[in-house]
Amino acid sequence: MADPSECPSVSEGLLPPELHAWMLLLAATGAVEQELRSAVKDGLDVSHDEFLVLCLLGGRPAEGVRMTKIAELLGRPKTRLTYQIACLQHAGLVTRKSVCGDKRGVEVALTEKGRRLLVESSGALAATVTEALTRFMGAEQREALRALLPDLAVEARPE
């Protein structure tokens, strides 16, 4: 993984602390995403972007989420999302239906198969995230990150 001390802006002290912290966060996120891409493709047989859709739906009510909201939350164009949803629907992981009273609205929800897939794979994928962060960040930095992310702060304890 990348060594933050190798970044020229860090060693020369050109960046204010806020930008330096942002660059470290981006690098750590990149490391996690690279590891997750591989784990998701091998373990779930879906693309990384499709996995993000599944995760978003996994944290939402069973009745589903509008596609426009999914596109907004994931920062993806709706046209690309339409293709990803079609792939997930073909795999039996999501359903899609029209929104009552809105001809253009489409709502997407996880199927039981999709929920099982998330439950069965989440432990291994969480371990992948932890491993990537451990290789990239020191214990203090990981603890600071946990403090910024409430769900992690509650579930994870310092090493």
Side-chain angles (χ1 to χ4, degrees):
M1 291 297 153
D3 179 0
S5 65
E6 293 177 5
C7 179
S9 62
V10 172
S11 61
E12 297 171 17
L14 296 177
L15 294 178
E18 296 83 1
L19 286 177
H20 173 68
W22 177 246
M23 293 305 295
L24 289 175
L25 183 59
L26 286 176
T29 302
V32 168
E33 206 160 336
Q34 185 177 12
E35 293 292 320
L36 261 184
R37 279 184 195 281
S38 222
V40 163
K41 190 64 179 166
D42 294 344
L44 279 68
D45 197 31
V46 297
S47 74
H48 181 70
D49 285 345
E50 291 165 359
F51 171 69
L52 294 178
V53 171
L54 292 175
C55 286
L56 185 109
L57 293 173
R60 302 292 179 167
E63 63 267 7
V65 179
R66 289 178 76 122
M67 282 189 53
T68 51
K69 187 67 174 174
I70 295 170
E72 175 189 319
L73 290 169
L74 294 179
R76 302 289 191 272
K78 194 172 174 205
T79 52
R80 181 177 170 139
L81 181 64
T82 300
Y83 173 76
Q84 292 165 341
I85 297 295
C87 291
L88 290 169
Q89 186 177 20
H90 180 72
L93 301 173
V94 301
T95 60
R96 106 176 118 174
K97 66 178 182 176
S98 296
V99 176
C100 191
D102 183 355
K103 282 196 264 183
R104 295 179 302 156
V106 176
E107 203 169 67
V108 181
L110 281 178
T111 62
E112 275 308 309
K113 180 180 178 182
R115 288 187 188 288
R116 270 194 320 276
L117 181 68
L118 278 179
V119 168
E120 292 168 0
S121 63
S122 62
L125 295 174
T128 299
V129 170
T130 300
E131 182 180 319
L133 287 176
T134 298
R135 286 196 313 266
F136 189 83
M137 299 177 156
E140 272 186 36
Q141 290 172 318
R142 288 192 314 274
E143 192 54 40
L145 182 60
R146 285 182 183 131
L148 292 173
L149 304 170
D151 290 345
L152 287 179
V154 169
E155 295 171 12
R157 301 290 173 243
E159 290 143 7

